[in-house]
Amino acid sequence: MTLALGLLAAYLLVYLLHRLIRDRRHSRRLGPVEDLPRFPAYGAELGQPLHLSLGTGGVGGAEGGGLATLASLALAEGLAGRSWRSGAPLLISAATGTALALAQTLAARLSRGSGGAEDGLQVRLLGLGGVPYAAAALGRSAREEEALALYAGQFGPEYLLLGESAARQGTALYAGGVQPEILPYQLLTTPHTLMGEELFAAGAFGRGRDGRARLAAADWLRWAVILLILALAAAGL
Amino acid sequence: MLKHRLATLLAVVLTLLLAAQPLLGLPQLEPPARLVLRWATIIGAFALILGVANLLGHHFRRILQREGGWLYSSLLVLSAVLVAGWGLYPGSKGAAEPAVRWAFEYLLAPAEGTLLALSAFFIVSAAYRSLRAHSAGMAAMTAGAVAVLVFQIPDVQLSWPPAAAAHQWLFDVPFAAGLRGLLLGVALGSLGLASSILLGAWRPYLD
C-alpha cells in the first residue's frame, strides 16, 4: 500500500512538473548526444549509412527490454528524422518482432512526411535474439562502412563483439544501456556511452517542449529523491 | 485523426489498467489485465512472423540480385525453410520434433557458444585499447576489475588476510553505491518515459 501511494505521488509530481515546466528552457547538457546531430551530414556527404540499433530486446513481456527499447526508439526517432531530411542513408535494426514493428511504424512516419519515398531507408530484423543479431551486424559492418553506429537499448554479452569490432574498424560508435552487467562492456569498447538514466534523457533531446519538460521533471524528481535519501540518512532511518 | 485519437485513447486506457492492477491490488482488475497481456502475447507472435518475413525478404532479394555474400543468404534461407518445415509438417511435434531439437542442440547452440567464446579475447583487447587511450575513468574501472580478480584468489587471501575484507568492502560500498545510483536513475527515467506515453505526449505506436 505504501509503495502504491509512493508511486502514485511520484507520478503526480512528474505530471505537475510537466505542466509547470513545459514552457521553460531547460539547459541540461548531455555530451555524447550533443555530438550526434552532425552525423547525418557526414552520412549524406560520404554516402555511408547511419545504423541505429534498437538493441536485442522488444516491448513484449517474453522478449525483455521493455522501456529500454522504447528509450532507444525515442533516441533513434530524433536522429532518424534529421538523417532523413538530410538525405543520409539510414538503417534501423532490431532483433525482435515487436521492436521491428515499432521501427517500421517510425519508418512509415518518416516516408509519409516525404511523400512516400523510401530510398535509402532500411528497417531490418538482423537476427532473432542476441547472438544471431550480433553475428549479422558484424557481417554487415564488415561489408559496408557506416558513418555512425548507435547501439542503444537492451544487449547481452554479445555487445562486446559488436562494440570491439566497430571500434577496430574506426566506426563512430555510440552506445546506451541500462543493464549493470553489460555497461562495463559498453564503457570498455565505446567511447560515448549513455549510462542508465542518460539513455532515457537522450530520447528527450530534439523532442521540443514536451521532451524538455519530461527531462526537467525527471531532473527535479531526481533531486527530490537525493534530498529524501539525505534527509532519511540524517534522521538515522 | 479519429483513428489516431482512438489509438491514443486505447493505449492510455490499457496502460492505466496494467499499471493500476499491481499498484492498487484490486482483484476485480486482474481478469481484464490478464486478458490484455494475452492479447499482447498474441500480437507479439504476429510481430515475430512479420520479423521472419522481413528477414527472409531481405535475403531473397540479395540472392536474386546476386549481391556480395548471396551464398550465405542462400544458406540462411535454406536453413530457415528446412527447420520450419520440420517443425510445421502435419503430424510434427513442433519444437519438440527430434530434427528441430537436433538443429538447435547440435548446430545453433554450438555456433552461438563459439561466437561468445571469443568474448575473452575481445575483452582483453578492449581493455588494452582503452588503457592506451589514457582515460582516467577507464583506468579506474580496469584497476577495480584487477583488484577484485586479485583479492578473490585464495592464495592471496591466505597470504594477505585483509584481501578478503577489501574484496567485500569493494562490493558493499563503492560497487553497491554505483549500482543503486544507476538503478534509481533508470527507475526515474522509466517513470518519465512511461508518463509521456500515458499522457499521450509521445505516441510511438502511431504512423
Side-chain angles (χ1 to χ4, degrees):
Chain A
M1 192 61 195
T2 314
L3 179 69
L5 283 174
L7 285 173
L8 268 177
Y11 174 75
L12 278 175
L13 185 61
V14 170
Y15 177 75
L16 288 173
L17 284 168
H18 178 272
R19 303 291 301 179
L20 279 171
I21 304 167
R22 62 183 293 160
D23 292 331
R24 295 192 187 169
R25 300 287 301 172
H26 186 65
S27 58
R28 176 173 172 184
R29 299 188 68 78
L30 206 59
V33 179
E34 286 163 20
D35 290 344
L36 286 174
R38 66 191 163 99
F39 285 101
Y42 285 172
E45 203 171 296
L46 300 170
Q48 292 175 355
L50 274 71
H51 180 182
L52 312 180
S53 163
L54 301 184
T56 57
V59 287
E63 287 172 338
L67 284 165
T69 306
L70 284 177
S72 157
L73 181 75
L75 175 58
E77 194 176 272
L79 197 59
R82 201 179 278 260
S83 305
W84 189 243
R85 284 191 296 276
S86 63
L90 186 64
L91 166 70
I92 306 174
S93 69
T96 61
T98 49
L100 180 80
L102 284 172
Q104 285 185 330
T105 309
L106 168 61
R109 234 177 3 246
L110 290 176
S111 62
R112 197 185 54 188
S114 60
E118 287 189 12
D119 288 343
L121 173 62
Q122 282 189 69
V123 176
R124 284 187 54 197
L125 182 101
L126 288 183
L128 274 170
V131 179
Y133 175 88
L138 286 176
R140 216 201 87 80
S141 62
R143 280 193 306 274
E144 189 177 359
E145 283 188 45
E146 292 166 347
L148 166 77
L150 170 67
Y151 293 111
Q154 175 172 287
F155 284 97
E158 70 280 350
Y159 182 83
L160 194 60
L161 309 177
L162 286 174
E164 182 59 8
S165 300
R168 281 184 191 179
Q169 285 169 355
T171 307
L173 181 64
Y174 286 71
V178 297
Q179 298 146 279
E181 68 276 19
I182 304 303
L183 275 170
Y185 294 161
Q186 294 184 316
L187 284 167
L188 265 183
T189 54
T190 312
H192 312 288
T193 301
L194 295 160
M195 288 193 288
E197 188 268 340
E198 287 179 335
L199 174 60
F200 291 92
F205 274 82
R207 297 192 57 77
R209 288 191 313 170
D210 280 319
R212 282 200 306 275
R214 197 178 87 202
L215 195 56
D219 286 352
W220 281 97
L221 192 61
R222 189 174 50 184
W223 279 110
V225 171
I226 290 169
L227 289 176
L228 183 70
I229 291 172
L230 288 176
L232 288 174
L237 293 173
Chain B
M1 274 303 107
L2 181 68
K3 188 183 86 173
H4 282 192
R5 281 186 188 156
L6 277 176
T8 308
L9 183 70
L10 195 65
V12 169
V13 169
L14 294 183
T15 312
L16 274 176
L17 173 72
L18 289 177
Q21 197 269 325
L23 278 177
L24 304 176
L26 293 175
Q28 299 93 321
L29 291 180
E30 207 177 318
R34 207 181 298 148
L35 181 70
V36 171
L37 286 177
R38 208 178 301 149
W39 288 349
T41 309
I42 294 168
I43 293 168
F46 278 100
L48 183 70
I49 296 171
L50 173 84
V52 172
N54 175 286
L55 188 74
L56 292 179
H58 171 78
H59 287 280
F60 267 125
R61 198 166 49 247
R62 276 182 67 184
I63 296 167
L64 291 176
Q65 294 175 355
R66 292 287 193 274
E67 284 180 26
W70 67 273
L71 271 171
Y72 297 118
S73 295
S74 315
L75 198 62
L76 182 139
V77 171
L78 188 69
S79 321
V81 169
L82 273 178
V83 175
W86 277 331
L88 292 173
Y89 79 87
S92 161
K93 294 176 195 159
E97 180 70 20
V100 177
R101 286 174 65 98
W102 181 87
F104 273 88
E105 282 173 23
Y106 294 100
L107 291 177
L108 199 64
E112 288 194 2
T114 307
L115 198 62
L116 280 180
L118 294 171
S119 302
F121 303 103
F122 276 61
I123 203 164
V124 172
S125 145
Y128 177 68
R129 197 168 35 76
S130 63
L131 278 177
R132 280 187 63 194
H134 300 295
S135 149
M138 286 302 108
M141 196 172 92
T142 312
V146 171
V148 169
L149 273 177
V150 171
F151 291 161
Q152 279 189 110
I153 299 171
D155 284 349
V156 172
Q157 292 188 353
L158 280 174
S159 56
W160 189 56
H167 173 253
Q168 198 57 43
W169 179 84
L170 279 173
F171 269 89
D172 290 348
V173 183
F175 295 170
L179 186 67
R180 282 176 195 169
L182 182 81
L183 293 178
L184 199 62
V186 170
L188 290 175
S190 303
L191 192 68
L193 188 70
S195 4
S196 71
I197 294 174
L198 201 57
L199 297 169
W202 183 48
R203 292 172 288 187
Y205 42 84
L206 290 181
D207 62 16

